[in-house]
Amino acid sequence: MSDGQSLSAEDQSPAPSTAFAAALLEGLVRRGVRDVVVSPGSRSQALALAAAAFERAGALALHVRIDERAAGFFALGLAVESRRPVAVVVTSGTAVANLHPAVLEAHHSLVPLILLTADRPEELRGVRSNQTTVQPGIFAGAVRFAVDVAAPSGLRSEARAADELADNAVSFSAGRGEAGAGPVHLNLAFREPLSSGFVHVPHQLVDALTDDEGLVTPPSAAPTAVYRPSVLLDRDKRTVVVAGHAAGPAAEALAHAGGWPLIAEVSSDARYGRNLVVAYRRLLAEPELGGRIERVVVFGHPTLSREIPALLTRDGLDVTIVAPTGGEVYNPGRRPVRVVSSVSVVEGPVDRQWLGGWVTASRAIAEAESRDVAPDLEAAHSHDRAERLAYVKAEFSAVRQPVDRRLLVEAVWRATWPHDRLVLGASRLIREADAVVGGKKVRVHANRGLAGIDGTVSTALGIATASQRGGGAGVTRVLVGDLTALHDIGSLLLAVGESVPRLQLVVGNDGGGTIFDGLEVASSAREDDIDRVLYTPRPVDFAALAQGFGWSYTRAATRADLDQALTAPTAGPTLVEVPLER
């Protein structure tokens, strides 16, 4: 090469950090990873730049979030909706610690995440080097697989090692091992130069990608090491089926097959069918119904009432827990229970009196408490002027009715259809919805692994992004209280150059954490102390916040306003503020 000539980007040999990062991402993509969420940072730049190159080649989708906590929950939402492992790239130091809330939620909810955390090499650890802490083991028992990877030095064997790492990361996150699906942690040390050279994305890799639904099974994936039998239940016991969070359709199918009452929490994905019992809290206290239960079959993770844990601690009750994967089993009373991978019921007649008693009583309660009155159409066309005037006044009064919590959850539920997605925050509103909304086959999500309020907006944005990819799904609605919205307010910051999902953030603003109204503390502590440290009201201008982050804004104070806001065409993200009385 003559003097003055320079190598093109394609001819440059990549730095060991870049070569290793590209090999690792290639291995992840080959095994089904389609999304990478990146938070910017220096030490992680090789991974971030490789992800950008892979996106440019069409091998994956890149999502950039400046806040690592938001990035973690956004990845969680992507993984929940896509049912694939999602990778998260962050730099060293506190960036890693900020992933911890999302990691814990993913651990307890069995959601596959792959954490790619950059770190200093061995020689810079333990000497107070900048942005350096003890990252190996930082997530303790919340991850399915963890490895501290030494800084690459350019050896040929490192490409093969990166591929093996990707294999383990995908297979363990997808469910290989006793704990079931969940997060894994690859702590990746990098030496300077932290990046350089051209990132090669094999054309064969891009050509081989498909848009098939579901997880691409990694080649080394093994069945879970936990053996749990299947069981066939007889019909000789008065049985109820409980569907907790993420129970799935198997709960409704068993209730239907057995002819048993179905208690399905609103985020169970089983809240539908003719056996559904909405008013279960009250009926569990009825001696002729709840008092006569002999057997309970539990799916998913019940979290929304005190009545279900109380039921499962009764003496003499036959309890079957359906848990095909996962190390922990829901057993609040630590009683002897039967844990199985699946359950079915013997052929035979249905005890219609048992089922009918529950369903009839639940419907009677719903009808007695309903505030929806069918319009008197005859009065609307009456020849009597007074009757027509009374009809008009009644209809006007109905649409001008102030919104309360029940009306809010019912309106959101009514506006949401199977092609939509509904995300419920960990606030008073999800319990209100669980108590009153009827059956509908709607995809509902809530972060109920630890039931924290953090990351709800980020999670919903991830769900919306994944569900609307390729023009699919409808609107994602997020129903939260004001504190839940404010806790994750930074997630309203939209990423430049990325698609903007159709999302409605519906904020029930009752001036603080009124969920504490239902706890014992409300009657035992000083009112001003409760207000100061529990309710924590914040006088926030949500309209100004929405404007500042580039969201549309609507205030819905009446039933008519709310119905119009929820059904309006949604081209991008909208914040709907609904003032509620404390």
Side-chain angles (χ1 to χ4, degrees):
M1 181 178 296
S2 62
D3 291 344
Q5 288 182 313
S6 61
L7 291 171
S8 67
E10 289 80 357
D11 293 329
Q12 294 178 35
S13 297
S17 54
T18 293
F20 186 87
L24 179 60
L25 284 185
E26 180 181 343
L28 293 176
V29 171
R30 288 190 184 280
R31 290 164 178 83
V33 173
R34 297 292 179 266
D35 292 281
V36 175
V37 184
V38 168
S39 289
S42 177
R43 189 64 51 169
S44 58
Q45 63 186 265
L47 290 164
L49 293 171
F54 272 67
E55 182 189 51
R56 191 165 50 252
L60 53 77
L62 171 62
H63 316 270
V64 179
R65 298 293 180 273
I66 62 173
D67 177 3
E68 288 83 7
R69 188 176 71 172
F73 279 104
F74 183 83
L76 182 116
L78 287 170
V80 164
E81 177 63 31
S82 69
R83 295 185 171 92
R84 293 177 184 265
V86 173
V88 189
V89 174
V90 302
T91 192
S92 62
T94 58
V96 183
N98 277 307
L99 291 176
H100 215 145
V103 170
L104 290 175
E105 178 62 32
H107 164 54
H108 289 283
S109 295
L110 307 180
V111 177
L113 294 181
I114 298 174
L115 316 169
L116 307 179
T117 64
D119 201 353
R120 263 50 178 179
E122 183 179 5
E123 62 270 19
L124 294 181
R125 298 181 187 180
V127 293
R128 300 202 72 181
S129 181
N130 190 36
Q131 288 188 312
T132 306
T133 187
V134 181
Q135 292 179 198
I138 194 170
F139 301 118
V143 291
R144 307 296 184 262
F145 172 76
V147 59
D148 186 26
V149 183
S153 57
L155 299 176
R156 287 188 177 183
S157 60
E158 288 171 353
R160 184 173 65 252
D163 189 68
E164 291 175 358
L165 270 178
D167 186 80
N168 279 320
V170 174
S171 60
F172 274 101
S173 69
R176 174 185 174 189
E178 295 186 2
V184 303
H185 182 202
L186 306 185
N187 191 61
L188 307 167
F190 292 110
R191 289 190 180 92
E192 296 180 352
L194 297 177
S195 69
S196 67
F198 177 72
V199 176
H200 175 64
V201 183
H203 292 297
Q204 304 93 321
L205 175 66
V206 179
D207 294 340
L209 294 179
T210 62
D211 293 326
D212 60 317
E213 292 291 327
L215 175 67
V216 177
T217 305
S220 66
T224 177
V226 178
Y227 172 73
R228 290 168 184 160
S230 298
V231 65
L232 182 66
L233 298 179
D234 56 37
R235 296 175 176 270
D236 62 351
K237 293 182 179 179
R238 291 185 291 273
T239 302
V240 296
V241 178
V242 173
H245 173 69
E252 192 279 334
L254 178 69
H256 180 80
W260 296 322
L262 172 64
I263 296 172
E265 292 187 345
V266 70
S267 64
S268 65
D269 280 338
R271 197 180 179 97
Y272 57 90
R274 62 190 181 191
N275 294 26
L276 180 65
V277 176
V278 173
Y280 69 88
R281 288 175 175 82
R282 289 169 60 173
L283 298 183
L284 284 173
E286 293 290 334
E288 291 302 309
L289 293 172
R292 298 178 66 213
I293 296 173
E294 296 174 321
R295 177 171 58 199
V296 182
V297 184
V298 181
F299 292 78
H301 183 200
T303 65
L304 293 178
S305 74
R306 295 184 176 185
E307 286 81 1
I308 296 301
L311 170 66
L312 298 179
T313 59
R314 290 185 192 174
D315 293 330
L317 200 65
D318 182 343
V319 177
T320 296
I321 308 294
V322 184
T325 62
E328 294 182 345
V329 173
Y330 182 73
N331 184 8
R334 295 185 176 271
R335 300 295 181 89
V337 298
R338 176 169 45 188
V339 183
V340 301
S341 63
S342 64
V343 62
S344 55
V345 60
V346 299
E347 299 276 341
V350 171
D351 185 347
R352 300 192 181 280
Q353 185 176 6
W354 174 244
L355 174 62
W358 283 86
V359 173
T360 301
S362 180
R363 289 175 179 170
I365 292 172
E367 290 174 4
E369 295 181 348
S370 175
R371 291 174 293 179
D372 285 327
V373 179
D376 185 357
L377 297 180
E378 290 187 5
H381 299 91
S382 173
H383 295 292
D384 187 327
R385 184 174 180 276
E387 284 191 14
R388 293 199 308 273
L389 183 60
Y391 166 81
V392 171
K393 286 183 176 180
E395 289 300 294
F396 184 76
S397 176
V399 299
R400 299 293 295 173
Q401 179 182 355
V403 180
D404 60 16
R405 293 182 188 87
R406 175 166 183 162
L407 196 154
L408 173 56
V409 300
E410 288 178 335
V412 171
W413 189 253
R414 187 168 54 246
T416 305
W417 295 98
H419 63 286
D420 296 327
R421 298 292 184 268
L422 178 59
V423 180
L424 300 173
S427 66
R428 186 170 180 174
L429 291 171
I430 189 174
R431 287 170 170 78
E432 186 73 27
D434 187 62
V436 302
V437 300
K440 187 189 287 189
K441 210 168 186 179
V442 171
R443 187 84 180 269
V444 180
H445 179 73
N447 285 340
R448 302 305 298 175
L450 287 182
I453 68 171
D454 45 347
T456 306
V457 178
S458 306
T459 303
L461 285 165
I463 288 172
T465 300
S467 66
Q468 294 169 23
R469 194 172 328 193
V475 176
T476 295
R477 292 186 179 87
V478 196
L479 180 59
V480 297
D482 52 305
L483 292 188
T484 301
L486 292 173
H487 199 283
D488 198 26
I489 203 66
S491 293
L492 268 62
L493 182 61
L494 302 173
V496 176
E498 298 182 26
S499 60
V500 178
R502 298 180 299 277
L503 184 140
Q504 293 177 340
L505 175 60
V506 185
V507 180
N509 188 355
D510 55 7
T514 60
I515 193 172
F516 293 105
D517 285 341
L519 303 180
E520 290 82 357
V521 67
S523 60
S524 63
R526 285 171 52 94
E527 185 176 343
D528 54 345
D529 289 346
I530 293 176
D531 201 63
R532 172 94 167 119
V533 302
L534 296 178
Y535 285 150
T536 59
R538 294 291 184 267
V540 172
D541 186 341
F542 278 99
L545 280 175
Q547 181 182 22
F549 283 108
W551 288 50
S552 300
Y553 172 83
T554 300
R555 188 176 187 272
T558 67
R559 180 171 185 168
D561 293 340
L562 180 59
D563 288 339
Q564 183 177 1
L566 293 173
T567 57
T570 304
T574 300
L575 193 155
V576 181
E577 181 182 7
V578 184
L580 300 172
E581 295 221 359
R582 181 186 286 192

